[in-house]
Amino acid sequence: MKLAKVIGNVVSSIKTDSHRNMKLMVVSPVDQNYQPIGNSFVAVDGSQAGIGDIVLVIEEGGSARQVLGKSDAAVDAVIVGIIDELVE
Amino acid sequence: MKLAKVIGNVVSSIKTDSHRNMKLMVVSPVDQNYQPIGNSFVAVDGSQAGIGDIVLVIEEGGSARQVLGKSDAAVDAVIVGIIDELVE
Amino acid sequence: MKLAKVIGNVVSSIKTDSHRNMKLMVVSPVDQNYQPIGNSFVAVDGSQAGIGDIVLVIEEGGSARQVLGKSDAAVDAVIVGIIDELVE
Amino acid sequence: MKLAKVIGNVVSSIKTDSHRNMKLMVVSPVDQNYQPIGNSFVAVDGSQAGIGDIVLVIEEGGSARQVLGKSDAAVDAVIVGIIDELVE
Amino acid sequence: MKLAKVIGNVVSSIKTDSHRNMKLMVVSPVDQNYQPIGNSFVAVDGSQAGIGDIVLVIEEGGSARQVLGKSDAAVDAVIVGIIDELVE
C-alpha cells in the first residue's frame, strides 16, 4: 500500500459504467516524511478524503472491489484510509 | 489508474484472437499537468478515444475484461474514460 | 518478495473495516547489504515485527489474505518473516 | 501491454514442466519510435515471432494462460502480436 | 519473467507457515548480457538453483503456487529455470 497526498479531482463525462457514482481523485505518492516520490495517479475515494489529505492507497483490483462493495467495479486503486500520523 | 495521452494506433495483422475487433492505442502517461511521465504502452480502447485525448487507463486484467465485456480477452490495460478536466 | 526495513507505524482513525485490528507499518525496501533501495510503502504486519527489523514483504493480494487468514482483507502487502541473515 | 523488440532466445535444460514445449524469448521494451526503454525481460512466444520483430507483450498471468490455451502454465508474460506499424 | 543471478540465501527463523520447507534465495535481475539491472529481491527456489546461477524468475502468485504445487503458498516470485545460454 502507498502513502499519498490527494491533489485533485477527476472530471470526465465519458466514463465506464462502474465509475458512475464514484469519486476519482488524483493522488501523488509520498514517503514517510510526506515528501513527493514518483508519479501521480488516480484512485477511487473509499474514505471521504479531501484535497490535501495524506491517505493510504491500495493498488490491487480485488481489494479495491472489496472495499467499494462492487464486485464488477473496474478499479485498480482505492483510497482506504486517511493518515493521522506516522510513529517512528 | 493512470492519466495518459493517446498518441497512436497499433496496426498488426498477426494478433491473438481476442484482439480481433479491438482498437489498440499507444498511450503516454501524463501527470496532473498533462506533462509526460514514464514510458508509453498499449491499451485497448473502451471509450471511443481519439488521438490527442487525455484518458483514464486501468492496468488490471480483471477490470479490463469486465469493461470490455469479454471474459476471455487477453488484455491488461484498457481506456475507461476521457478526461474533461482535473479540479485542484 | 522484497527485503525491507521497518521504519514506522501508521496511525489512522479513518480506515476501511478490514484494517480494524491490523498493524500497518511503514517499510523501506533494502538490498542484500541492507542499504535502502526505492520508495517506502505500507505493509500489514504478519510476523510481530518491530521498528528496525529487516523483514520479508510479499506484495500480492492473494498471498496477503492467505497469510492473515482473512479472505476479505483489503491488503496488497504483508510482512511474512523477520530476517536473521543473508548467506552468500 | 508493452511494445518490445525480440532480441534473443532462451536455452535452459532445467525448466518447470509447463515450459516444456514453449519458446521463451528475450524482449527489450521500446517506445512509439521503437527506441529502447527499460530493462529486457523474458516472454513466451504466442505469435511465431522472430528475432528483430517488434511485438506486443502482455504481462499478466491470466491473459498469458488464456492466449497459450494452458490453464496450468507458469507464465506471466506472452507475445500476443507482431506489429506492422503505429499510426499517429 | 526476469533473468536474474542468484546471490544469496535467506535465513529467517520467524516466517509464515507456508515458507517452512522452502528455500528463499536473494536474486539480482540481469539483462541479456548478464549485467545487473535493478534491485535485488527474494524468490522461492523451484529449480534446485545455486549461488551464481543465472535463473528465470516468475513474479506472479498464481504461477508461483502452481510451480511449487502448493495452492496456499504465500509466494509472489519463484525460480522456474536455470539458463544455459541466450541465443541472439
Short mmCIF file of all heavy atoms in Angstrom, two decimals, chain B residues 1-48:
data_model
loop_
_atom_site.label_atom_id
_atom_site.label_comp_id
_atom_site.label_asym_id
_atom_site.label_seq_id
_atom_site.Cartn_x
_atom_site.Cartn_y
_atom_site.Cartn_z
N MET B 1 -5.07 3.76 -11.25
CA MET B 1 -5.36 4.09 -12.65
C MET B 1 -4.43 5.23 -13.08
O MET B 1 -3.98 6.02 -12.22
CB MET B 1 -6.83 4.51 -12.78
CG MET B 1 -7.77 3.34 -12.63
SD MET B 1 -9.42 3.78 -12.06
CE MET B 1 -9.16 4.13 -10.35
N LYS B 2 -4.15 5.32 -14.36
CA LYS B 2 -3.21 6.34 -14.85
C LYS B 2 -3.93 7.34 -15.76
O LYS B 2 -4.83 6.98 -16.52
CB LYS B 2 -2.09 5.69 -15.64
CG LYS B 2 -1.04 5.00 -14.80
CD LYS B 2 0.09 4.42 -15.65
CE LYS B 2 1.12 3.72 -14.77
NZ LYS B 2 2.08 2.94 -15.56
N LEU B 3 -3.45 8.57 -15.71
CA LEU B 3 -3.82 9.56 -16.72
C LEU B 3 -2.84 9.36 -17.88
O LEU B 3 -1.65 9.11 -17.65
CB LEU B 3 -3.68 10.97 -16.15
CG LEU B 3 -4.57 11.33 -14.97
CD1 LEU B 3 -4.14 12.66 -14.36
CD2 LEU B 3 -6.03 11.37 -15.39
N ALA B 4 -3.31 9.47 -19.10
CA ALA B 4 -2.41 9.27 -20.25
C ALA B 4 -2.94 10.03 -21.45
O ALA B 4 -4.13 10.35 -21.52
CB ALA B 4 -2.28 7.78 -20.59
N LYS B 5 -2.05 10.30 -22.39
CA LYS B 5 -2.44 10.96 -23.64
C LYS B 5 -2.37 9.93 -24.76
O LYS B 5 -1.39 9.17 -24.87
CB LYS B 5 -1.49 12.13 -23.93
CG LYS B 5 -1.85 12.92 -25.19
CD LYS B 5 -0.98 14.17 -25.32
CE LYS B 5 -1.44 15.03 -26.49
NZ LYS B 5 -0.67 16.30 -26.58
N VAL B 6 -3.40 9.88 -25.59
CA VAL B 6 -3.40 8.94 -26.72
C VAL B 6 -2.49 9.50 -27.82
O VAL B 6 -2.66 10.63 -28.26
CB VAL B 6 -4.83 8.74 -27.29
CG1 VAL B 6 -4.79 7.79 -28.48
CG2 VAL B 6 -5.77 8.21 -26.21
N ILE B 7 -1.51 8.70 -28.25
CA ILE B 7 -0.53 9.22 -29.22
C ILE B 7 -0.46 8.38 -30.49
O ILE B 7 0.30 8.70 -31.41
CB ILE B 7 0.88 9.33 -28.60
CG1 ILE B 7 1.38 7.98 -28.09
CG2 ILE B 7 0.90 10.37 -27.50
CD1 ILE B 7 2.82 8.00 -27.65
N GLY B 8 -1.22 7.28 -30.55
CA GLY B 8 -1.14 6.50 -31.79
C GLY B 8 -2.05 5.29 -31.78
O GLY B 8 -2.63 4.92 -30.75
N ASN B 9 -2.22 4.71 -32.97
CA ASN B 9 -2.98 3.47 -33.12
C ASN B 9 -2.02 2.35 -33.54
O ASN B 9 -1.09 2.58 -34.31
CB ASN B 9 -4.05 3.64 -34.22
CG ASN B 9 -5.22 4.48 -33.74
OD1 ASN B 9 -5.95 4.04 -32.84
ND2 ASN B 9 -5.37 5.69 -34.27
N VAL B 10 -2.29 1.15 -33.03
CA VAL B 10 -1.43 0.00 -33.35
C VAL B 10 -2.03 -0.75 -34.54
O VAL B 10 -3.23 -1.05 -34.55
CB VAL B 10 -1.34 -0.95 -32.14
CG1 VAL B 10 -0.59 -2.23 -32.50
CG2 VAL B 10 -0.66 -0.24 -30.97
N VAL B 11 -1.21 -1.06 -35.52
CA VAL B 11 -1.66 -1.87 -36.67
C VAL B 11 -0.85 -3.17 -36.65
O VAL B 11 0.38 -3.15 -36.69
CB VAL B 11 -1.41 -1.14 -38.01
CG1 VAL B 11 -1.82 -2.03 -39.19
CG2 VAL B 11 -2.14 0.19 -38.03
N SER B 12 -1.57 -4.31 -36.50
CA SER B 12 -0.82 -5.58 -36.50
C SER B 12 -1.72 -6.67 -37.09
O SER B 12 -2.79 -6.95 -36.55
CB SER B 12 -0.37 -5.95 -35.10
OG SER B 12 -1.45 -6.21 -34.25
N SER B 13 -1.27 -7.23 -38.19
CA SER B 13 -2.07 -8.29 -38.84
C SER B 13 -1.97 -9.60 -38.06
O SER B 13 -2.91 -10.36 -37.96
CB SER B 13 -1.58 -8.48 -40.28
OG SER B 13 -0.18 -8.29 -40.37
N ILE B 14 -0.80 -9.85 -37.47
CA ILE B 14 -0.66 -11.08 -36.66
C ILE B 14 -1.00 -10.72 -35.21
O ILE B 14 -0.27 -9.95 -34.56
CB ILE B 14 0.77 -11.63 -36.76
CG1 ILE B 14 1.09 -12.02 -38.20
CG2 ILE B 14 0.94 -12.83 -35.83
CD1 ILE B 14 2.51 -12.51 -38.40
N LYS B 15 -2.14 -11.22 -34.72
CA LYS B 15 -2.57 -10.87 -33.35
C LYS B 15 -3.35 -12.02 -32.75
O LYS B 15 -3.87 -12.88 -33.46
CB LYS B 15 -3.43 -9.60 -33.37
CG LYS B 15 -4.73 -9.72 -34.14
CD LYS B 15 -5.52 -8.41 -34.11
CE LYS B 15 -5.09 -7.43 -35.17
NZ LYS B 15 -6.00 -6.26 -35.29
N THR B 16 -3.45 -12.05 -31.43
CA THR B 16 -4.21 -13.10 -30.75
C THR B 16 -5.70 -12.91 -31.03
O THR B 16 -6.17 -11.78 -31.21
CB THR B 16 -3.92 -13.08 -29.23
OG1 THR B 16 -4.54 -14.21 -28.62
CG2 THR B 16 -4.44 -11.81 -28.57
N ASP B 17 -6.44 -14.03 -31.07
CA ASP B 17 -7.84 -13.96 -31.49
C ASP B 17 -8.65 -12.91 -30.74
O ASP B 17 -9.42 -12.15 -31.34
CB ASP B 17 -8.50 -15.35 -31.27
CG ASP B 17 -7.95 -16.36 -32.27
OD1 ASP B 17 -7.32 -15.91 -33.26
OD2 ASP B 17 -8.11 -17.58 -32.03
N SER B 18 -8.46 -12.84 -29.43
CA SER B 18 -9.35 -11.96 -28.66
C SER B 18 -9.10 -10.48 -28.97
O SER B 18 -9.86 -9.61 -28.54
CB SER B 18 -9.17 -12.21 -27.15
OG SER B 18 -7.87 -11.85 -26.73
N HIS B 19 -8.05 -10.19 -29.74
CA HIS B 19 -7.81 -8.78 -30.11
C HIS B 19 -8.50 -8.43 -31.43
O HIS B 19 -8.43 -7.28 -31.87
CB HIS B 19 -6.31 -8.52 -30.24
CG HIS B 19 -5.61 -8.43 -28.92
ND1 HIS B 19 -4.27 -8.19 -28.78
CD2 HIS B 19 -6.08 -8.59 -27.65
CE1 HIS B 19 -3.94 -8.17 -27.51
NE2 HIS B 19 -5.02 -8.43 -26.80
N ARG B 20 -9.13 -9.42 -32.10
CA ARG B 20 -9.68 -9.19 -33.44
C ARG B 20 -10.41 -7.86 -33.55
O ARG B 20 -10.01 -6.98 -34.20
CB ARG B 20 -10.62 -10.33 -33.86
CG ARG B 20 -9.91 -11.65 -34.13
CD ARG B 20 -9.25 -11.79 -35.54
NE ARG B 20 -8.09 -12.68 -35.46
CZ ARG B 20 -6.89 -12.39 -36.00
NH1 ARG B 20 -6.69 -11.25 -36.62
NH2 ARG B 20 -5.87 -13.24 -35.91
N ASN B 21 -11.46 -7.65 -32.87
CA ASN B 21 -12.27 -6.43 -33.10
C ASN B 21 -12.00 -5.36 -32.05
O ASN B 21 -12.89 -4.62 -31.67
CB ASN B 21 -13.75 -6.83 -33.11
CG ASN B 21 -14.01 -7.84 -34.21
OD1 ASN B 21 -13.61 -7.62 -35.35
ND2 ASN B 21 -14.60 -8.98 -33.84
N MET B 22 -10.73 -5.28 -31.63
CA MET B 22 -10.38 -4.29 -30.62
C MET B 22 -9.48 -3.21 -31.23
O MET B 22 -8.69 -3.49 -32.13
CB MET B 22 -9.62 -4.95 -29.46
CG MET B 22 -10.47 -5.83 -28.58
SD MET B 22 -9.48 -6.40 -27.16
CE MET B 22 -10.71 -7.49 -26.37
N LYS B 23 -9.65 -1.97 -30.72
CA LYS B 23 -8.78 -0.88 -31.18
C LYS B 23 -7.66 -0.75 -30.14
O LYS B 23 -7.90 -0.44 -28.96
CB LYS B 23 -9.59 0.42 -31.29
CG LYS B 23 -8.85 1.54 -31.97
CD LYS B 23 -9.79 2.69 -32.34
CE LYS B 23 -10.04 3.62 -31.19
NZ LYS B 23 -10.83 4.82 -31.50
N LEU B 24 -6.43 -1.04 -30.55
CA LEU B 24 -5.28 -0.94 -29.66
C LEU B 24 -4.62 0.42 -29.88
O LEU B 24 -4.32 0.79 -31.03
CB LEU B 24 -4.28 -2.07 -29.96
CG LEU B 24 -4.80 -3.51 -29.81
CD1 LEU B 24 -3.71 -4.50 -30.19
CD2 LEU B 24 -5.27 -3.78 -28.39
N MET B 25 -4.43 1.15 -28.79
CA MET B 25 -3.90 2.50 -28.91
C MET B 25 -2.61 2.66 -28.10
O MET B 25 -2.46 2.06 -27.02
CB MET B 25 -4.94 3.51 -28.41
CG MET B 25 -6.31 3.33 -29.07
SD MET B 25 -7.46 4.69 -28.73
CE MET B 25 -7.11 5.71 -30.19
N VAL B 26 -1.68 3.44 -28.64
CA VAL B 26 -0.45 3.75 -27.90
C VAL B 26 -0.75 4.96 -27.01
O VAL B 26 -1.28 5.98 -27.50
CB VAL B 26 0.72 4.08 -28.85
CG1 VAL B 26 2.00 4.30 -28.05
CG2 VAL B 26 0.90 2.98 -29.89
N VAL B 27 -0.48 4.84 -25.71
CA VAL B 27 -0.74 5.94 -24.78
C VAL B 27 0.54 6.30 -24.02
O VAL B 27 1.38 5.43 -23.75
CB VAL B 27 -1.86 5.56 -23.78
CG1 VAL B 27 -3.20 5.35 -24.50
CG2 VAL B 27 -1.50 4.34 -22.96
N SER B 28 0.64 7.58 -23.72
CA SER B 28 1.81 8.08 -22.99
C SER B 28 1.35 8.65 -21.65
O SER B 28 0.55 9.60 -21.63
CB SER B 28 2.49 9.18 -23.84
OG SER B 28 3.54 9.77 -23.11
N PRO B 29 1.80 8.04 -20.53
CA PRO B 29 1.33 8.51 -19.22
C PRO B 29 1.64 10.00 -19.01
O PRO B 29 2.70 10.47 -19.42
CB PRO B 29 2.12 7.67 -18.23
CG PRO B 29 2.63 6.51 -19.01
CD PRO B 29 2.79 6.99 -20.40
N VAL B 30 0.69 10.72 -18.36
CA VAL B 30 0.92 12.14 -18.04
C VAL B 30 0.62 12.39 -16.57
O VAL B 30 -0.12 11.63 -15.93
CB VAL B 30 0.04 13.06 -18.92
CG1 VAL B 30 0.43 12.95 -20.40
CG2 VAL B 30 -1.44 12.78 -18.71
N ASP B 31 1.15 13.51 -16.04
CA ASP B 31 0.85 13.87 -14.65
C ASP B 31 -0.36 14.80 -14.59
O ASP B 31 -1.06 15.00 -15.60
CB ASP B 31 2.08 14.51 -13.99
CG ASP B 31 2.45 15.85 -14.63
OD1 ASP B 31 1.60 16.44 -15.34
OD2 ASP B 31 3.58 16.31 -14.42
N GLN B 32 -0.61 15.38 -13.44
CA GLN B 32 -1.81 16.22 -13.25
C GLN B 32 -1.76 17.51 -14.07
O GLN B 32 -2.78 18.15 -14.26
CB GLN B 32 -1.99 16.55 -11.77
CG GLN B 32 -0.90 17.40 -11.17
CD GLN B 32 0.27 16.58 -10.64
OE1 GLN B 32 0.49 15.43 -11.04
NE2 GLN B 32 1.06 17.18 -9.75
N ASN B 33 -0.58 17.81 -14.63
CA ASN B 33 -0.46 18.98 -15.51
C ASN B 33 -0.36 18.55 -16.97
O ASN B 33 0.06 19.33 -17.84
CB ASN B 33 0.78 19.79 -15.11
CG ASN B 33 0.71 20.22 -13.65
OD1 ASN B 33 -0.28 20.82 -13.22
ND2 ASN B 33 1.73 19.87 -12.86
N TYR B 34 -0.72 17.30 -17.20
CA TYR B 34 -0.70 16.68 -18.54
C TYR B 34 0.71 16.65 -19.15
O TYR B 34 0.86 16.58 -20.35
CB TYR B 34 -1.68 17.41 -19.49
CG TYR B 34 -3.14 17.39 -19.05
CD1 TYR B 34 -4.08 18.18 -19.67
CD2 TYR B 34 -3.57 16.58 -17.99
CE1 TYR B 34 -5.42 18.18 -19.27
CE2 TYR B 34 -4.90 16.59 -17.57
CZ TYR B 34 -5.81 17.39 -18.21
OH TYR B 34 -7.14 17.40 -17.80
N GLN B 35 1.71 16.67 -18.28
CA GLN B 35 3.10 16.56 -18.77
C GLN B 35 3.49 15.08 -18.82
O GLN B 35 3.11 14.31 -17.92
CB GLN B 35 4.05 17.31 -17.85
CG GLN B 35 3.81 18.81 -17.82
CD GLN B 35 3.75 19.40 -19.23
OE1 GLN B 35 4.70 19.26 -20.03
NE2 GLN B 35 2.62 20.02 -19.58
N PRO B 36 4.26 14.66 -19.84
CA PRO B 36 4.59 13.24 -19.97
C PRO B 36 5.42 12.72 -18.80
O PRO B 36 6.34 13.39 -18.34
CB PRO B 36 5.41 13.15 -21.27
CG PRO B 36 5.54 14.52 -21.81
CD PRO B 36 4.82 15.48 -20.92
N ILE B 37 5.07 11.53 -18.31
CA ILE B 37 5.83 10.89 -17.22
C ILE B 37 5.92 9.40 -17.56
O ILE B 37 4.94 8.72 -17.69
CB ILE B 37 5.11 11.03 -15.86
CG1 ILE B 37 3.62 10.67 -15.94
CG2 ILE B 37 5.29 12.39 -15.27
CD1 ILE B 37 2.92 10.57 -14.61
N GLY B 38 7.09 8.89 -17.74
CA GLY B 38 7.23 7.44 -17.92
C GLY B 38 7.06 6.99 -19.36
O GLY B 38 6.81 7.78 -20.27
N ASN B 39 7.14 5.69 -19.53
CA ASN B 39 7.18 5.12 -20.89
C ASN B 39 5.79 4.89 -21.48
O ASN B 39 4.85 4.56 -20.78
CB ASN B 39 7.91 3.77 -20.83
CG ASN B 39 9.35 3.95 -20.38
OD1 ASN B 39 9.99 4.92 -20.78
ND2 ASN B 39 9.85 3.03 -19.56
N SER B 40 5.70 5.04 -22.78
CA SER B 40 4.43 4.76 -23.48
C SER B 40 4.14 3.26 -23.41
O SER B 40 5.05 2.45 -23.25
CB SER B 40 4.52 5.24 -24.92
OG SER B 40 5.57 4.55 -25.60
N PHE B 41 2.84 2.91 -23.54
CA PHE B 41 2.44 1.49 -23.58
C PHE B 41 1.17 1.40 -24.40
O PHE B 41 0.75 2.38 -25.01
CB PHE B 41 2.27 0.95 -22.15
CG PHE B 41 1.25 1.65 -21.28
CD1 PHE B 41 -0.03 1.15 -21.16
CD2 PHE B 41 1.57 2.82 -20.59
CE1 PHE B 41 -0.98 1.77 -20.37
CE2 PHE B 41 0.64 3.45 -19.78
CZ PHE B 41 -0.65 2.93 -19.67
N VAL B 42 0.60 0.21 -24.47
CA VAL B 42 -0.56 -0.01 -25.34
C VAL B 42 -1.77 -0.38 -24.49
O VAL B 42 -1.67 -1.20 -23.57
CB VAL B 42 -0.26 -1.13 -26.37
CG1 VAL B 42 -1.50 -1.49 -27.17
CG2 VAL B 42 0.87 -0.68 -27.32
N ALA B 43 -2.91 0.22 -24.80
CA ALA B 43 -4.16 -0.08 -24.09
C ALA B 43 -5.26 -0.30 -25.11
O ALA B 43 -5.24 0.28 -26.20
CB ALA B 43 -4.53 1.07 -23.15
N VAL B 44 -6.23 -1.12 -24.74
CA VAL B 44 -7.40 -1.31 -25.60
C VAL B 44 -8.33 -0.13 -25.37
O VAL B 44 -8.50 0.32 -24.23
CB VAL B 44 -8.13 -2.63 -25.25
CG1 VAL B 44 -9.43 -2.76 -26.03
CG2 VAL B 44 -7.21 -3.82 -25.57
N ASP B 45 -8.93 0.38 -26.43
CA ASP B 45 -9.86 1.50 -26.27
C ASP B 45 -11.22 1.00 -25.81
O ASP B 45 -11.85 0.18 -26.47
CB ASP B 45 -10.01 2.23 -27.62
CG ASP B 45 -10.99 3.40 -27.51
OD1 ASP B 45 -11.17 3.90 -26.38
OD2 ASP B 45 -11.58 3.76 -28.54
N GLY B 46 -11.69 1.53 -24.68
CA GLY B 46 -13.03 1.17 -24.17
C GLY B 46 -13.93 2.38 -24.10
O GLY B 46 -15.01 2.33 -23.49
N SER B 47 -13.47 3.53 -24.72
CA SER B 47 -14.24 4.78 -24.57
C SER B 47 -14.32 5.57 -25.87
O SER B 47 -14.54 6.79 -25.83
CB SER B 47 -13.57 5.64 -23.49
OG SER B 47 -13.53 4.96 -22.26
N GLN B 48 -14.11 4.95 -27.00
CA GLN B 48 -14.10 5.69 -28.29
C GLN B 48 -13.14 6.88 -28.21
O GLN B 48 -13.47 8.00 -28.60
CB GLN B 48 -15.51 6.16 -28.70
CG GLN B 48 -16.42 5.05 -29.24
CD GLN B 48 -16.92 4.16 -28.12
OE1 GLN B 48 -17.34 4.67 -27.08
NE2 GLN B 48 -16.82 2.86 -28.29
#
